[in-house]
Amino acid sequence: MAALLRSARLLKFSPSGLLQITSTKRNGPPLTRLYSGAVGGPRTGVCVRQTRPASGNVSSRVWPYAVGCVRSYAVATEQKDEASIAVRSKQAQQFDWALAKLDNSVRRTGRITKTLLLRIFHDICRTGYPSGNQALLLLRSCGSLLSEMRQKERTELAHHVWQKLQELGAQYDVSHYNALLKVYLQNEFKFSPTDFLAKMEAANVQTNRVTYQRLIAAYCQNGDIEGASAILGFMKGKDLPITEAVFNSLVTGHARAGDIDSAKNVLSVMAGAGIEPGPETYVSLLNAYAERGDMESLKKTLETVENSDCSLMDRDIMQVIFTLAKAGHQQHIPEMVERLRHERGYVPDAMNLCLSLITEGLEDTAFQVMKTFPTLQSDSFNSESPNLGNFFLRHCVNMDTAVEKIGHYCKELQESNLHAAPLSFTLSCSLEAKKTGMSIELMKLLKEQGFPIRPHYFWPLFTYLVKDNNTAGVVELVKVMQELDVSPDVETLSNYILPVFNNLEAARQALKTAGVSLESEGFLTSEVRSLAVRNLAEFYTQLSAPSFPSLELGMFRGSLILGFRKSSDVESMVKITELLFKDERFSQSSSKPAEATSFFLYSLIDSMSEGEVQEQEDKLRKFFNQLQTQNITISGNIYRGIRNLLESYHVPELIKDVIVLVDPKDRVSNSSVSDVSRVNGSEEKLLALEKKLAELKAENQPLGSVFKQTIQALCAEENLQRALELKQQYEQEMTAACYATLINLCCRHDNVEEALNLKREMNRKDSSLALDASKYIAMVKLLSKNDRVEEAIDILKEMKEKDVVLNDMHVTMLFHMLNAIVAKGGAPAIQQLQDTIFTLGLAKPSANLCSPLVTSYLDRKDLSGALDAAIECQKRYKHLPRIHDILVGLVEKGDTELLQKAMDFVSQERGEMTMLYDLFFAFLQTGRYREARKIIETPGLRARPGRLQWYAEKCIFSNQMESLEQMVDMTAKLFECDRDEMYSYLLRLCKETNNWQKAEAAWTKMQEENAIPRERTLRLLSDILKSNGQEVPFELPETWYEQAATKQQVKPATAPTTADNRPEYQARLLALCKRGKAKEACVMLQDSDKKDVVFGPALYDHLIRALLAEGSIENAMVVKDIAASRVPSFQLSDIATSLLIVTQSKKGQVKDALENLKSMLQADHVPSQLAITRLVQALGTQGDVAGIEEVESLIKVLGTNLSLSSMVFINNKVLAHIKNSNMESAVELLEEVYTSPANKNLSMSFVFRKVLENGNDKALDKLSAMAERLANHFACYRPASDLFLQLLDMDKVEDAKFMLARCNALAEQKEALVSYLSQKAQSPGQLGKIQSLLSLVPDFAEKEVLYPYLMKCHALDKDLSAAKALHEEMQKEGIAVDELSLKRLAGLYRDAGEQAPFPEPPESFKFYADKLRQRAAEAQTTAE
């Protein structure tokens, strides 16, 4: 291609020649093409609005907005090393973090700051080998999103990013080159397309349609139609579709070549090719006229647009304004500004226009646009003080706009009442930017206007002067202060002036020369503060002098505390404290000297960190002891405060030295008493049935408990007849629980009369008795289904009278109850029951509970009745159930009158945006795509991620590829739409349908839109292509240790002989690493080293990590030696060092691992959590307690939160003691931990598991006794629970049973038991362990909690028969089946080729899981 461009120039482009393309549509390629998936959606590709000057700075903010949730990245591989998982997770989290930060900046301001981008760039560089999507993220951020940077600086930054990431080993594919092209276009960077293509060819990167489109745009940007024509001919020869974006570029190209007629004729050519000109095309033409200042043609084009079937938004007009301003036609701008309609989103777009204009030196035009902002628009949330224009003034400062001009803007803003204090704000911006000259000039302007100049205005300017120790600069700034009649105050003198001088005498002389008065109290205080920090002995001498004036301690307390902390002169500290304690000159306020001194001592300890107190423990002890000899005392309250601080700092030894200072009248005890709780055991349950019952009756013994269990057993067997007979036989033994059980059984057997009879009998025995909510609801359902609605309503009223509380599960049961009546067409019955439930307040109205009423009308095709019912629900309960289904029905029926009625009502009640989305989804669902497009392109419409996700999940579930494609296509220009998220929905459906053509087309479209794919999206696309034998057109961002999904073998190649072949060598080495052939790569590296081929440090580090991941530490050290000899400054990255520590720990080389950890920390590097954990575990295995304590102390002073549990160190210390046969120390350590109330929930499962695995019965006996002792005497059940569950997990059921008998309170630790249940339900084949737990503790969880986990186990085990049985059991017991369990069961039916006997819940698994989690969280919040 590059050769073609060098050697051939086609004839001058003619609209009637090259562009006579047949069968080309705006929305896609010719139908005859095999590559049918490569569609070019509306307004996609490289459009002029993104390549012209306006676009480059104003509105080309195409960005994949993040939904805000933390996404997880999971990779399915057969076997994963734990080190690999940690590194992999860290890389994924870092990309998501960076994307979220940039997205948040774009979402709030519409742009990215240079500071934020560089911070993310440096973070990515520091962590080691950057992934492909990280590189893509950074590159795409170097264009128009950096609207506060000049175009040249943006391009330089992009080149720096490209070069640096390449040095670090980033692999570039066609998407990266396309992104760089996009940056060139947005920054109007002149480059050679032929050279660019040559570089791609040299890198062995294949071009694609997007590359050609952007190269055409580059030629056209420079007015080079011949170059554009060459590429266009090449595209035509390769049968690539010519999209609207190409035509937009040609409009610009002809205009800049001076042929405005040909530019205009391009629109006619588009129409002939079957492509309808869109807004971008018209904007391209408008910009062409704007560059020439041809307002007449511009107005005619605007009239044409207004009369056509497309509309221009405010941001389109802003592009034209920018072009007019940059071309020097400012006289036409007011007319265009009047055309702005101030749509939703106007302000952020207009702000970016203003910033771009200021960057180009067009401040006056920017100010003119800014004055069009809505009057109430403010840059802050404080509406009382207007401050319109903060962003404008700040950017003027950053761009070094003349102070006179800034002053003019400030004056006009204030006179127009748009900003309360513009000049003061501008000064703050200038000070923040450290612009000394501008700041001083602005202060002079403020003084001229009568504003007072405060000393703290100068602090930012002093800061960097003091930091640089610039004495002359400080003195000059002090002189400026004097010129402005500003006297330095105490803070200014103490913190910003005196510290720069070597001694106070020099400071005095310099300040006297600058005209500062040395006799003021402020100077005296500053002098005292400075002296307190520098020299305590001199400070005492000055304070103790009789001539020293009175000075409140509070004036210099902070400085004196800092001096105490820095000094080792304890004698001076004691003398000063004694002086403060006795001399009333330093306590002029109402407090006495002793009180002020006591608080000073507390403040001293409070200001110190834990490490500082521990380090200075001896100094503090000496200090306190000498204070006692001087009879200095403190109050009891102060002592308690100091004591609490010392305890929190883990220095309790100092407390005895402080307590002696307490005033004898206020002595307090320092002892504490431990509370000891006793635990009550649960009663043993009787297991006898009818035989035992008969025996007890014959012996005239109480029957209650046995009778109850007998009734429950019969009900469990569904033996209603025998249960009723037994009830008749033992009538006097019937309790409320027995009645409730029998009533529930009658409801399951649809026996209305018996249920009512039992209910009446129960009320006769005790009218205050109440059933639980689920049984009441079962009765209501039974009565309603049998047309006894009035009696059902009476039951609901009884629930209210007896204060029956309903939780979320019961509300779901109400929904199913109402839904059961739908099949009978009972709309009136549903209405009565629904009204009663809401009126009585049994449940809050919700869309779910309101939906059965609407469903009853929809099932009868009564759309009018359904709409009226939905409207009534909204009016009464503020919920609009099943509105989507109603709208779909109305659209399909074509009932425009009812549809208009529905839309008017939704708009009135929910707002216009909600109405538009509802209508949009209805049109999509019914295939009315043209109408849907008009809706979604409504000016001012914003993305609503929740609504878009809902419809996307609906399409995926229903396999509606066309509807989903259309939605993704139509939302391309939707404001704040997360494009990566939208394409991920499409790719998910492509994977389910195995449609790789559609997936490949989606990838092309993403590049055209400049969307940034997340790792999840790239991996999804890669899986689709690989599973269909297609080549993956990008570098998959997988970490170096993962096994490639493909089995393709890399043939050994002959090693290059010169350094010129280094890129080829590097690519081969990286490819081997990625395919798990690190040892083969090591051999290749050694061969290349013999031939003096040198690589960058990133590749050596990359190979070392790959070898360590395979456990090949010897080869890794060989590579390290080679790297050190070739790159003198070579150092392992944090990831590589952490992996080295992990590998050494696994191989038992703990001394080497510990030394590596120390070296890492000394170099201020942060090890991974996994590295520390594996090292501590290895030390524990070898019995090295001292080593564990050393690691623990090193991590404590690290200052970085690694989210390490304290039990990592405690558990492994215990194992080390066990290894050393020192069981007493192990038990003592654990008892010390668990007897503290704050530590009762810490887990020691790891210890029990290791002891059980090693078969150490002696240790197990000791630990078991300790666990029982903690449970019985300290009410601390966690150790016993951990041991009990570990025994179960290792199939030692009998041992677990004996332990439960010895410590029966374990059965009441429901939180731990349910947590174990949840954990086991995550993996297949674990049902047996759950059943073992149930056999020992049958009732540890409510059945509503237990059954969903059992259903999940059956689903994981693919056991349909067991799942069916469980479902039937739940139905018999009247337990509502949650939607997630129903969906799992439906999946089992589907996999077995059977039809489920119930409708499958329509939403995704994630939807229902999130719903259950939310319900559980709300229940927890309510309980709290």
Side-chain angles (χ1 to χ4, degrees):
M1 183 64 206
L4 170 67
L5 290 175
R6 292 191 193 97
S7 61
R9 288 288 185 192
L10 301 183
L11 295 175
K12 187 176 173 102
F13 174 78
S14 169
S16 60
L18 186 59
L19 284 181
Q20 294 302 318
I21 304 165
T22 60
S23 302
T24 303
K25 298 181 180 179
R26 177 187 176 195
N27 293 333
L31 294 176
T32 54
R33 295 188 66 244
L34 281 174
Y35 185 53
S36 60
V39 295
R43 309 187 192 180
T44 56
V46 181
C47 55
V48 165
R49 68 196 304 190
Q50 294 173 338
T51 60
R52 294 183 54 79
S55 160
N57 298 276
V58 184
S59 63
S60 175
R61 292 189 285 103
V62 181
W63 191 261
Y65 291 93
V67 176
C69 60
V70 177
R71 295 167 171 88
S72 62
Y73 295 76
V75 183
T77 54
E78 292 181 2
Q79 291 182 340
K80 289 185 176 180
D81 187 88
E82 293 184 20
S84 303
I85 296 172
V87 175
R88 178 73 179 76
S89 175
K90 181 177 179 182
Q91 193 178 40
Q93 288 172 2
Q94 185 189 40
F95 173 72
D96 214 34
W97 171 84
L99 181 59
K101 292 290 287 185
L102 294 177
D103 166 66
N104 185 51
S105 177
V106 175
R107 189 184 298 276
R108 289 187 300 105
T109 65
R111 56 192 176 277
I112 294 172
T113 63
K114 179 182 177 182
T115 305
L116 175 62
L117 185 62
L118 287 179
R119 176 188 168 195
I120 293 171
F121 171 55
H122 292 148
D123 282 347
I124 290 174
C125 291
R126 189 173 63 251
T127 55
Y129 180 66
S131 65
N133 55 349
Q134 287 173 338
L136 201 58
L137 172 68
L138 291 171
L139 287 171
R140 289 178 174 175
S141 301
C142 294
S144 59
L145 287 170
L146 291 170
S147 57
E148 298 177 37
M149 286 180 66
R150 294 183 174 89
Q151 293 179 346
K152 181 180 179 182
E153 295 173 357
R154 298 187 326 218
T155 307
E156 290 172 354
L157 177 60
H159 287 156
H160 175 62
V161 169
W162 181 279
Q163 183 178 358
K164 182 65 177 177
L165 295 185
Q166 195 169 41
E167 290 174 1
L168 291 173
Q171 296 296 297
Y172 292 144
D173 55 46
V174 66
S175 64
H176 296 88
Y177 284 92
N178 289 343
L180 187 60
L181 277 175
K182 184 72 171 181
V183 169
Y184 285 170
L185 293 169
Q186 291 179 343
N187 297 343
E188 296 188 34
F189 175 68
K190 295 184 184 296
F191 68 99
S192 169
T194 54
D195 292 347
F196 191 90
L197 282 172
K199 289 179 181 178
M200 290 184 69
E201 290 175 4
N204 198 27
V205 176
Q206 297 298 318
T207 55
N208 64 9
R209 186 181 79 197
V210 178
T211 314
Y212 299 134
Q213 288 179 176
R214 292 182 181 173
L215 288 174
I216 289 173
Y219 276 120
C220 291
Q221 199 173 65
N222 297 320
D224 187 351
I225 291 297
E226 291 186 10
S229 301
I231 296 182
L232 200 58
F234 188 81
M235 288 181 69
K236 186 178 179 183
K238 297 192 73 171
D239 197 23
L240 294 174
I242 310 301
T243 63
E244 180 189 4
V246 174
F247 288 105
N248 298 342
S249 299
L250 294 173
V251 171
T252 302
H254 280 296
R256 292 197 173 177
D259 189 356
I260 194 68
D261 291 334
S262 294
K264 186 177 179 181
N265 287 340
V266 170
L267 274 71
S268 302
V269 177
M270 290 177 70
I275 300 178
E276 179 185 352
E280 290 88 350
T281 309
Y282 286 110
V283 171
S284 301
L285 187 57
L286 290 170
N287 279 326
Y289 291 135
E291 285 183 346
R292 301 164 64 90
D294 186 354
M295 285 301 293
E296 184 178 350
S297 298
L298 194 150
K299 291 177 186 177
K300 288 181 180 178
T301 304
L302 285 172
E303 291 175 3
T304 303
V305 174
E306 290 171 359
N307 296 328
S308 67
D309 193 20
C310 73
S311 60
L312 297 182
M313 302 172 68
D314 279 347
R315 66 179 63 176
D316 300 321
I317 303 299
M318 289 178 194
Q319 291 192 45
V320 180
I321 292 172
F322 185 83
T323 304
L324 285 169
K326 199 170 180 183
H329 304 300
Q330 280 83 359
Q331 70 275 15
H332 301 308
I333 289 175
E335 186 176 352
M336 294 304 297
V337 169
E338 290 176 2
R339 290 181 176 270
L340 296 172
R341 298 194 295 262
H342 293 225
E343 302 161 344
R344 181 175 293 177
Y346 168 79
V347 171
D349 287 336
M351 285 176 68
N352 286 324
L353 171 61
C354 293
L355 291 171
S356 300
L357 289 167
I358 296 169
T359 303
E360 294 294 328
L362 302 168
E363 300 92 354
D364 292 338
T365 306
F367 191 69
Q368 187 177 355
V369 172
M370 190 193 68
K371 288 191 294 184
T372 67
F373 283 19
T375 308
L376 296 179
Q377 174 65 30
S378 172
D379 288 0
S380 76
F381 297 104
N382 181 10
S383 58
E384 295 179 2
S385 300
N387 57 2
L388 179 68
N390 280 356
F391 79 96
F392 177 88
L393 297 172
R394 181 183 285 109
H395 198 45
C396 283
V397 169
N398 292 336
M399 291 292 106
D400 293 316
T401 305
V403 175
E404 294 78 9
K405 188 176 281 191
I406 293 177
H408 168 71
Y409 296 144
C410 291
K411 182 179 179 182
E412 190 169 342
L413 284 171
Q414 195 158 14
E415 290 175 351
S416 304
N417 199 30
L418 296 175
H419 201 297
L423 205 53
S424 298
F425 176 77
T426 308
L427 174 59
S428 69
C429 294
S430 178
L431 292 170
E432 185 182 345
K434 299 178 182 178
K435 296 182 181 291
T436 304
M438 179 182 285
S439 299
I440 293 171
E441 291 300 317
L442 289 168
M443 288 184 200
K444 290 178 180 179
L445 277 178
L446 276 169
K447 186 172 179 60
E448 290 173 6
Q449 296 182 15
F451 288 96
I453 307 300
R454 310 292 185 191
H456 68 266
Y457 291 1
F458 293 85
W459 291 358
L461 305 179
F462 276 121
T463 300
Y464 70 91
L465 293 173
V466 174
K467 186 178 179 181
D468 296 338
N469 204 28
N470 187 347
T471 308
V474 169
V475 173
E476 287 301 317
L477 200 53
V478 171
K479 291 179 180 179
V480 172
M481 293 180 70
Q482 296 300 105
E483 291 174 11
L484 293 170
D485 296 328
V486 181
S487 297
D489 60 5
V490 175
E491 299 297 330
T492 308
L493 285 165
S494 303
N495 299 330
Y496 300 101
I497 297 178
L498 294 182
V500 82
F501 295 98
N502 294 326
N503 55 68
L504 288 175
E505 189 56 40
R508 282 174 171 272
Q509 188 63 37
L511 293 175
K512 187 175 181 181
T513 305
V516 177
S517 172
L518 305 182
E519 307 301 325
S520 65
E521 182 180 347
F523 184 80
L524 174 66
T525 304
S526 304
E527 202 173 29
V528 167
R529 288 182 177 182
S530 179
L531 202 55
V533 175
R534 295 182 179 189
N535 191 316
L536 290 181
E538 288 185 22
F539 176 81
Y540 173 72
T541 302
Q542 184 169 350
L543 255 67
S544 60
S547 59
F548 189 83
S550 299
L551 190 64
E552 177 70 35
L553 173 59
M555 299 295 291
F556 58 89
R557 182 192 295 116
S559 300
L560 185 57
I561 286 173
L562 182 59
F564 273 31
R565 289 166 58 186
K566 292 170 58 179
S567 175
S568 58
D569 186 359
V570 178
E571 287 73 15
S572 295
M573 291 167 60
V574 174
K575 289 179 182 178
I576 293 167
T577 308
E578 183 183 9
L579 180 66
L580 297 174
F581 185 78
K582 297 178 180 179
D583 199 328
E584 295 187 355
R585 288 180 298 172
F586 308 109
S587 59
Q588 296 173 341
S589 62
S590 58
S591 63
K592 297 177 181 179
E595 293 176 0
T597 306
S598 293
F599 184 71
F600 167 76
L601 292 175
Y602 170 80
S603 300
L604 170 63
I605 303 300
D606 187 41
S607 68
M608 301 174 75
S609 66
E610 179 180 343
E612 200 174 355
V613 172
Q614 292 173 354
E615 183 181 343
Q616 299 185 25
E617 182 179 348
D618 292 336
K619 183 183 90 170
L620 290 171
R621 179 175 291 108
K622 184 178 178 182
F623 174 57
F624 290 138
N625 291 337
Q626 291 192 24
L627 288 180
Q628 184 194 8
T629 62
Q630 300 301 322
N631 295 321
I632 294 172
T633 61
I634 59 176
S635 67
N637 283 336
I638 291 295
Y639 159 71
R640 281 187 284 273
I642 294 176
R643 181 195 65 190
N644 293 338
L645 288 172
L646 292 175
E647 286 178 346
S648 67
Y649 293 160
H650 303 99
V651 194
E653 297 81 5
L654 274 176
I655 295 176
K656 66 180 185 297
D657 299 298
V658 179
I659 196 172
V660 297
L661 299 177
V662 179
D663 192 326
K665 295 178 295 184
D666 200 14
R667 288 282 181 187
V668 295
S669 173
N670 191 36
S671 61
S672 61
V673 181
S674 300
D675 294 324
V676 179
S677 303
R678 296 184 64 83
V679 60
N680 295 322
S682 61
E683 295 181 357
E684 185 179 358
K685 296 181 180 179
L686 301 174
L687 304 175
L689 295 174
E690 292 186 55
K691 183 178 178 181
K692 183 66 174 176
L693 193 62
E695 291 175 0
L696 289 174
K697 185 177 181 181
E699 297 171 4
N700 201 22
Q701 297 292 322
L703 309 178
S705 179
V706 178
F707 176 74
K708 176 183 174 183
Q709 289 193 13
T710 307
I711 290 291
Q712 289 175 341
L714 289 169
C715 290
E717 295 174 6
E718 300 297 320
N719 193 340
L720 176 60
Q721 187 62 37
R722 181 61 186 139
L724 291 174
E725 290 173 1
L726 198 64
K727 173 250 175 191
Q728 292 291 340
Q729 188 177 350
Y730 297 96
E731 186 80 39
Q732 69 282 2
E733 300 295 336
M734 286 293 290
T735 63
C738 295
Y739 277 114
T741 305
L742 283 174
I743 289 171
N744 203 32
L745 183 62
C746 291
C747 292
R748 294 203 298 269
H749 284 252
D750 204 21
N751 194 331
V752 184
E753 296 303 332
E754 283 294 346
L756 287 174
N757 289 335
L758 288 166
K759 179 74 172 55
R760 294 188 192 105
E761 286 181 22
M762 186 181 77
N763 289 342
R764 281 198 300 270
K765 280 197 172 187
D766 188 347
S767 60
S768 64
L769 293 176
L771 300 172
D772 64 62
S774 59
K775 294 177 177 60
Y776 270 125
I777 295 171
M779 282 199 72
V780 173
K781 181 178 180 180
L782 176 66
L783 292 167
S784 303
K785 286 170 62 178
N786 287 275
D787 298 323
R788 301 171 74 159
V789 179
E790 293 302 326
E791 291 173 280
I793 291 174
D794 290 338
I795 296 293
L796 292 172
K797 291 178 180 178
E798 182 180 328
M799 292 172 68
K800 177 64 177 176
E801 291 169 2
K802 294 186 176 180
D803 296 324
V804 177
V805 179
L806 274 65
N807 59 27
D808 288 346
M809 183 65 70
H810 299 136
V811 173
T812 304
M813 291 176 67
L814 286 176
F815 165 74
H816 289 301
M817 179 267 292
L818 294 172
N819 230 22
I821 312 173
V822 170
K824 302 182 68 175
I830 296 173
Q831 181 77 67
Q832 280 183 278
L833 291 168
Q834 177 184 288
D835 292 346
T836 304
I837 291 168
F838 296 154
T839 304
L840 294 174
L842 293 173
K844 292 181 179 179
S846 66
N848 210 29
L849 285 178
C850 293
S851 63
L853 180 61
V854 178
T855 303
S856 64
Y857 288 103
L858 289 175
D859 285 357
R860 302 201 310 265
K861 306 298 181 184
D862 184 0
L863 295 176
S864 178
L867 179 59
D868 290 340
I871 289 174
E872 187 63 23
C873 286
Q874 174 62 29
K875 288 179 178 178
R876 296 178 63 183
Y877 309 122
K878 302 302 179 185
H879 289 287
L880 204 57
R882 299 201 63 178
I883 188 64
H884 173 74
D885 299 308
I886 295 172
L887 295 178
V888 168
L890 292 173
V891 172
E892 287 177 340
K893 189 177 179 182
D895 193 335
T896 55
E897 184 178 345
L898 272 182
L899 184 62
Q900 187 62 50
K901 175 184 175 181
M903 289 298 95
D904 290 344
F905 182 78
V906 173
S907 180
Q908 176 186 344
E909 294 291 321
R910 298 287 186 86
E912 185 181 359
M913 188 175 290
T914 300
M915 177 270 290
L916 290 172
Y917 269 103
D918 288 336
L919 196 56
F920 173 60
F921 293 141
F923 283 141
L924 281 176
Q925 188 71 25
T926 54
R928 271 75 166 179
Y929 300 130
R930 184 179 180 86
E931 291 84 351
R933 183 179 295 278
K934 290 180 180 178
I935 295 294
I936 205 64
E937 291 180 356
T938 301
L941 193 63
R942 288 172 177 260
R944 285 194 171 178
R947 299 297 308 275
L948 294 171
Q949 181 187 10
W950 170 80
Y951 189 74
E953 296 286 359
K954 184 180 178 68
C955 290
I956 293 170
F957 179 80
S958 306
N959 196 17
Q960 298 175 0
M961 176 67 79
E962 186 180 7
S963 294
L964 184 56
E965 272 189 306
Q966 289 291 336
M967 184 178 75
V968 173
D969 185 49
M970 292 176 191
T971 54
K973 299 297 180 183
L974 184 60
F975 186 61
E976 291 189 340
C977 182
D978 186 342
R979 300 306 297 157
D980 169 76
E981 192 73 15
M982 299 303 295
Y983 278 106
S984 71
Y985 297 139
L986 187 56
L987 291 173
R988 279 172 54 194
L989 185 52
C990 290
K991 186 170 185 177
E992 288 194 11
T993 58
N994 200 32
N995 191 333
W996 68 268
Q997 292 92 344
K998 294 279 188 184
E1000 191 174 46
W1003 168 242
T1004 304
K1005 291 284 295 289
M1006 288 185 76
Q1007 293 180 75
E1008 288 180 345
E1009 288 188 27
N1010 219 29
I1012 298 178
R1014 291 180 178 83
E1015 179 180 330
R1016 165 205 60 190
T1017 308
L1018 291 175
R1019 191 167 301 283
L1020 187 59
L1021 177 59
S1022 171
D1023 290 344
I1024 297 169
L1025 295 175
K1026 284 181 179 179
S1027 63
N1028 286 278
Q1030 302 299 312
E1031 183 180 355
V1032 179
F1034 51 81
E1035 179 68 20
L1036 187 65
E1038 59 186 356
T1039 43
W1040 32 266
Y1041 55 82
E1042 288 183 290
Q1043 296 292 333
T1046 177
K1047 298 299 181 182
Q1048 179 183 358
Q1049 300 294 320
V1050 178
K1051 296 180 180 179
T1054 305
T1057 56
T1058 68
D1060 293 339
N1061 291 325
R1062 186 169 54 190
E1064 181 183 353
Y1065 243 131
Q1066 181 168 324
R1068 290 179 180 176
L1069 286 169
L1070 290 173
L1072 288 171
C1073 291
K1074 288 178 183 292
R1075 290 178 172 82
K1077 299 183 178 180
K1079 291 181 180 178
E1080 188 176 331
C1082 181
V1083 173
M1084 182 181 288
L1085 180 74
Q1086 289 173 301
D1087 292 342
S1088 67
D1089 187 62
K1090 293 175 183 177
K1091 298 175 182 178
D1092 294 327
V1093 178
V1094 181
F1095 302 98
L1099 184 128
Y1100 292 118
D1101 189 79
H1102 189 79
L1103 180 53
I1104 289 169
R1105 285 181 282 167
L1107 290 165
L1108 290 173
E1110 294 181 357
S1112 182
I1113 193 170
E1114 296 80 8
N1115 287 332
M1117 294 301 99
V1118 169
V1119 176
K1120 182 183 176 184
D1121 293 340
I1122 293 174
S1125 65
R1126 294 296 186 179
V1127 185
S1129 60
F1130 176 78
Q1131 287 185 340
L1132 289 178
S1133 66
D1134 288 2
I1135 298 174
T1137 309
S1138 294
L1139 274 172
L1140 179 59
I1141 294 171
V1142 170
T1143 309
Q1144 288 172 332
S1145 300
K1146 285 185 175 181
K1147 290 181 176 291
Q1149 302 171 8
V1150 291
K1151 291 185 178 179
D1152 295 336
L1154 185 56
E1155 287 302 317
N1156 283 324
L1157 176 66
K1158 291 178 182 177
S1159 303
M1160 197 175 184
L1161 295 175
Q1162 287 170 1
D1164 290 331
H1165 291 179
V1166 181
S1168 69
Q1169 180 183 359
L1170 183 72
I1172 297 168
T1173 304
R1174 290 292 175 267
L1175 174 56
V1176 171
Q1177 288 173 347
L1179 290 167
T1181 303
Q1182 295 191 3
D1184 191 349
V1185 178
I1188 297 173
E1189 291 175 342
E1190 184 177 4
V1191 174
E1192 186 176 13
S1193 63
L1194 289 170
I1195 299 306
K1196 279 185 178 178
V1197 300
L1198 183 59
T1200 301
N1201 182 16
L1202 293 175
S1203 301
L1204 273 173
S1205 168
S1206 59
M1207 292 305 287
V1208 170
F1209 299 104
I1210 294 169
N1211 285 338
N1212 285 286
K1213 283 182 195 175
V1214 170
L1215 290 173
H1217 285 310
I1218 294 172
K1219 174 71 176 179
N1220 299 330
S1221 301
N1222 189 356
M1223 283 305 303
E1224 290 74 15
S1225 297
V1227 171
E1228 182 181 347
L1229 175 60
L1230 288 170
E1231 287 186 335
E1232 182 182 347
V1233 171
Y1234 282 110
T1235 51
S1236 173
N1239 298 332
K1240 288 191 174 183
N1241 287 322
L1242 296 177
S1243 173
M1244 58 174 292
S1245 292
F1246 181 73
V1247 174
F1248 286 127
R1249 185 169 75 249
K1250 289 295 182 183
V1251 170
L1252 286 166
E1253 287 175 353
N1254 296 332
N1256 191 338
D1257 293 335
K1258 180 181 177 181
L1260 184 61
D1261 290 342
K1262 292 279 189 181
L1263 293 175
S1264 177
M1266 178 207 69
E1268 291 178 27
R1269 187 165 59 253
L1270 288 170
N1272 294 326
H1273 296 292
F1274 293 90
C1276 177
Y1277 304 108
R1278 186 56 189 260
S1281 300
D1282 288 341
L1283 176 55
F1284 174 69
L1285 293 174
Q1286 282 299 322
L1287 290 170
L1288 275 180
D1289 206 47
M1290 301 187 76
D1291 297 324
K1292 297 179 180 291
V1293 181
E1294 287 302 317
D1295 292 342
K1297 184 177 180 180
F1298 288 139
M1299 184 172 184
L1300 183 62
R1302 292 194 304 271
C1303 185
N1304 49 28
L1306 288 176
E1308 298 175 6
Q1309 307 310 307
K1310 295 190 175 181
E1311 185 176 347
L1313 299 179
V1314 172
S1315 176
Y1316 179 79
L1317 168 67
S1318 174
Q1319 177 191 349
K1320 294 295 109 181
Q1322 303 299 321
S1323 308
Q1326 302 297 313
L1327 184 61
K1329 293 178 180 179
I1330 295 175
Q1331 289 172 338
S1332 297
L1333 175 59
L1334 286 170
S1335 69
L1336 296 179
V1337 191
D1339 56 351
F1340 74 88
E1342 298 292 335
K1343 291 185 177 180
E1344 289 83 355
V1345 175
L1346 172 65
Y1347 286 162
Y1349 283 118
L1350 293 178
M1351 184 65 76
K1352 185 176 182 180
C1353 289
H1354 296 324
L1356 289 172
D1357 294 339
K1358 307 292 185 185
D1359 190 346
L1360 176 59
S1361 59
K1364 281 182 182 179
L1366 177 61
H1367 184 231
E1368 291 172 1
E1369 185 177 352
M1370 293 175 76
Q1371 288 179 317
K1372 289 177 182 178
E1373 295 182 11
I1375 295 175
V1377 186
D1378 62 273
E1379 291 130 319
L1380 188 59
S1381 296
L1382 284 176
K1383 191 163 184 67
R1384 287 189 173 118
L1385 180 56
L1388 289 175
Y1389 273 110
R1390 188 168 56 252
D1391 293 343
E1394 298 182 25
Q1395 179 66 37
F1398 52 84
E1400 182 175 352
E1403 305 294 346
S1404 66
F1405 282 101
K1406 182 178 181 301
F1407 175 85
Y1408 293 119
D1410 291 343
K1411 185 176 178 181
L1412 287 176
R1413 272 193 291 270
Q1414 182 181 359
R1415 185 180 299 163
E1418 289 172 355
Q1420 179 68 23
T1421 304
T1422 304
E1424 292 172 355

